Amino acid sequence: MSSRTSDVLVIGGGIIGLVTAWRAAQRGLATAVVDPEPGGGAAQVAAGMLAAVTELHYGEETLLALNLESARRYPEFAAELTELTGHDLGYRRCGTLQVALDADDRAHLRELHALQRRCGLESEWQSGRECRRLEPMLAPGVRGGLRVDGDHQIDPRRLAAALVAACERTGVTFHRVWAERLDVAGDRAVGVTTADGTGLRAGQVVLAAGSLSGRLAGVPQALLPPVRPVKGQVLRLTVPRPYAPFLSRTVRAVVRGGHVYLVPRENGELVVGATSEELGWDTTVTAGGVYELLRDAHELVPGITELPLTETRAGLRPGSPDNAPLLGPSGLEGLLLATGHFRNGVLLTPVTGDALAEVLTSGQLPDEARPFTPQRFGAVLLEQPA
């Protein structure tokens, strides 16, 4: 079939692919997105915590800088997107309360608080009584916690819909079909062949297919991104209006060694997540996963079991070897990557769009994105299985 040409062709219509396409089109580049269902993907399952502080893990200090920079850009980014599309993104500056349920958890949170302070982050230690004063629905046994007012939230489903609308308004073309194969000519990526046999040509190709990014045919074996699927199961409950607000901010905890969070939306929805399971491409919602989330959430907020359970979903996060994204040139001329965001895809949406738009137009990654080039995985890439 005949091919069509664009300046930029983005493979993947999740929030990362969409924000890349939108920002590229704003720079005057003729841009297209290849995805059978733009706005789908992991964003449909994600809770939408913009948690640069409470997502800090040991050994991820470099990623912290990128997370903080993206969080800093979020208010202006959200306002721009809403002004353009008219979509309410559910952006809330409600803060996060990370609590401990026993002495071991309390000691762990104290260590985490010390790490946060060493990194220059703002978080405030709260006694158990102070935690319950902030959130009266918390269990009586809460032993203390960290109050982080700088961690916010957004509704990823609304964000995805708004980004689709923004792309449409800026002239992005959508090809609602799978990209079957990357096309390479003369050691350069020149486009893709779609599942229906259409050849789409482009000056530059961006691979932003989330956990599927490591499976695209045609990418040289040594340059396939080392991205794997990490399953997460999430529940949605509804808070009846007479009892709202059930929680005023996001509440997080470690229960029996597993992380659980409760994210309250202004519309009465309460998102509970999330399991983290290395089970390949399985997206089955399991009785065990639902039970564990409800059990742990009940220990944190006993009243949760009285709420209607309205949805259960499972999705796949795109994990990378160091839990950080792969941004920029892939090592193959004409092919760039925007994938591997793992837990932070929603948080990193603004900074990813800006970074990819910059490298697409100038050939240079901005300073904040340079630690996350795919080249940092040179040895890993060579070992990537077929």
Side-chain angles (χ1 to χ4, degrees), residues 9-71:
L9 183 63
V10 180
I11 303 172
I15 55 174
I16 295 300
L18 291 170
V19 75
T20 298
W22 176 40
R23 291 308 198 196
Q26 284 183 318
R27 299 282 189 108
L29 299 172
T31 304
V33 172
V34 184
D35 192 291
E37 189 181 351
Q44 295 300 310
V45 184
M49 295 180 294
L50 307 177
V53 177
T54 52
E55 274 290 346
L56 175 61
H57 288 65
Y58 291 99
E60 295 185 5
E61 288 81 359
T62 302
L63 177 58
L64 170 66
L66 190 70
N67 287 344
L68 288 171
E69 178 57 29
S70 201

Side-chain angles (χ1 to χ4, degrees), residues 13-16 39-48 156-157 160 209-211 230 232 234 236 313-318 342 345-346:
I15 55 174
I16 295 300
Q44 295 300 310
V45 184
R157 294 178 174 180
S211 56
V230 182
V234 174
R236 283 178 167 80
R313 289 283 292 269
L316 300 173
R317 309 177 189 90
F342 194 36
V346 178

Side-chain angles (χ1 to χ4, degrees), residues 21-30 353-362:
W22 176 40
R23 291 308 198 196
Q26 284 183 318
R27 299 282 189 108
L29 299 172
D354 292 343
L356 267 293
E358 179 63 28
V359 73
L360 285 166
T361 51
S362 73

Side-chain angles (χ1 to χ4, degrees), residues 97-269:
L97 186 64
Q98 190 165 6
V99 302
L101 290 171
D102 59 32
D104 288 343
D105 293 339
R106 188 176 185 275
H108 170 73
L109 269 192
R110 283 290 196 184
E111 292 176 3
L112 183 60
H113 187 221
L115 174 64
Q116 291 170 345
R117 300 305 293 267
R118 287 197 301 272
C119 292
L121 304 176
E122 293 186 13
S123 66
E124 182 181 346
W125 181 261
Q126 307 280 289
S127 68
R129 180 175 297 176
E130 289 170 327
C131 289
R132 288 187 293 277
R133 189 176 300 130
L134 290 171
E135 297 294 344
M137 297 298 289
L138 285 173
V142 167
R143 303 290 293 272
L146 295 175
R147 175 178 176 175
V148 180
D149 291 338
D151 278 359
H152 302 155
Q153 64 154 285
I154 199 166
D155 187 332
R157 294 178 174 180
R158 296 186 183 187
L159 173 62
L163 285 170
V164 170
C167 285
E168 292 171 341
R169 286 175 180 259
T170 49
V172 173
T173 300
F174 286 103
H175 301 285
R176 298 174 188 271
V177 64
W178 287 109
E180 191 77 18
R181 183 182 72 250
L182 180 74
D183 294 331
V184 179
D187 295 324
R188 178 183 177 87
V190 296
V192 301
T193 298
T194 65
D196 62 7
T198 302
L200 302 174
R201 294 294 169 258
Q204 300 182 88
V205 178
V206 179
L207 180 51
S211 56
L212 290 167
S213 297
R215 305 185 85 186
L216 182 64
V219 178
Q221 183 66 30
L223 299 178
L224 277 170
V227 175
R228 72 189 191 283
V230 182
K231 179 181 176 180
Q233 299 189 54
V234 174
L235 315 178
R236 283 178 167 80
L237 302 95
T238 300
V239 180
R241 286 300 179 185
Y243 300 101
F246 191 79
L247 295 171
S248 64
R249 74 202 72 214
T250 298
V251 174
R252 309 180 61 154
V254 176
V255 181
R256 297 183 185 87
H259 293 268
V260 64
Y261 53 71
L262 291 80
V263 183
R265 304 264 193 252
E266 287 184 325
N267 64 2
E269 182 179 73

